[in-house]
Amino acid sequence: ANLNRGRKSFLPNLQNPSAAVGKNRIQIHALDTYLNAYQRCDLIKIDVEGAEPLVLAGLRNTLMNKSPYLYVECGSEQLLNQLMPIFAAVNYRAYWHPSLHFNPNNFRTASNITYSQGDMNLLCIPSSRFNSEHKSIWETLHQVDSWQQVDRLFPGFQF
């Protein structure tokens, strides 16, 4: 069976549906379609293995009208270069957040077999949510300038 266990992108199938493997078809809808019904939306996590720009395109009204925080996985320079203009267009600031796969306080006290491996994420904050009350939090984060920052800011981090 050709199963996707969260490590493989569906993006090639979206770009070329005739090449898709399997026989199950799904409909895709913009998240705005669902989120317009809600008065508030405070946080959205996006981890879709390279299709993040497509998800954000379907969130434009939500981003402009509800200004949620975004937590977006970003594992390559190519993806970062696609995401940054989108964030700029909706007046969001992006900050680095590495997330290690291992938690030393895990339930079974398992040993670390992943070492420094993890996922690189972006915490994206709408400019409208910046205020002096939270200034100390924003100052602890590293604003995204370029992919080259990753090695300097997080030495030894592995994807």
Side-chain angles (χ1 to χ4, degrees):
N2 186 7
L3 300 175
N4 188 319
R5 303 201 190 279
R7 296 180 299 261
K8 183 178 177 187
S9 178
F10 287 110
L11 191 55
N13 296 335
L14 294 173
Q15 294 168 336
N16 185 7
S18 63
V21 176
K23 55 188 169 189
N24 298 325
R25 301 282 184 231
I26 60 169
Q27 290 184 350
I28 299 173
H29 300 277
L31 284 172
D32 276 342
T33 304
Y34 299 103
L35 296 175
N36 284 338
Y38 295 92
Q39 192 172 33
R40 290 180 54 180
C41 178
D42 294 319
L43 173 68
I44 299 172
K45 182 188 187 310
I46 305 171
D47 179 356
V48 289
E49 305 305 324
E52 287 79 0
L54 293 173
V55 171
L56 290 167
L59 276 171
R60 188 163 179 87
N61 289 335
T62 299
L63 299 179
M64 298 300 289
N65 298 318
K66 294 178 176 58
S67 302
Y69 292 95
L70 301 174
Y71 192 70
V72 182
E73 184 180 43
C74 181
S76 74
E77 182 174 13
Q78 177 185 0
L79 182 57
L80 180 66
N81 291 340
Q82 293 172 341
L83 293 173
M84 292 307 289
I86 296 169
F87 298 141
V90 291
N91 209 16
Y92 272 67
R93 298 180 195 175
Y95 295 87
W96 294 112
H97 184 260
S99 175
L100 292 173
H101 291 165
F102 178 74
N103 179 350
N105 299 320
N106 65 75
F107 176 72
R108 297 194 181 262
T109 63
S111 59
N112 185 357
I113 61 170
T114 62
Y115 304 100
S116 300
Q117 291 181 345
D119 297 310
M120 188 56 66
N121 301 284
L122 304 173
L123 174 61
C124 305
I125 304 167
S127 296
S128 63
R129 290 202 167 192
F130 281 86
N131 61 48
S132 59
E133 180 182 333
H134 300 103
K135 186 176 180 185
S136 62
I137 295 171
W138 313 138
E139 289 175 348
T140 65
L141 301 172
H142 301 284
Q143 191 164 357
V144 175
D145 288 327
S146 69
W147 185 255
Q148 287 66 38
Q149 290 176 291
V150 173
D151 287 336
R152 183 175 49 82
L153 293 172
F154 312 105
F157 188 82
Q158 300 172 348
F159 298 87

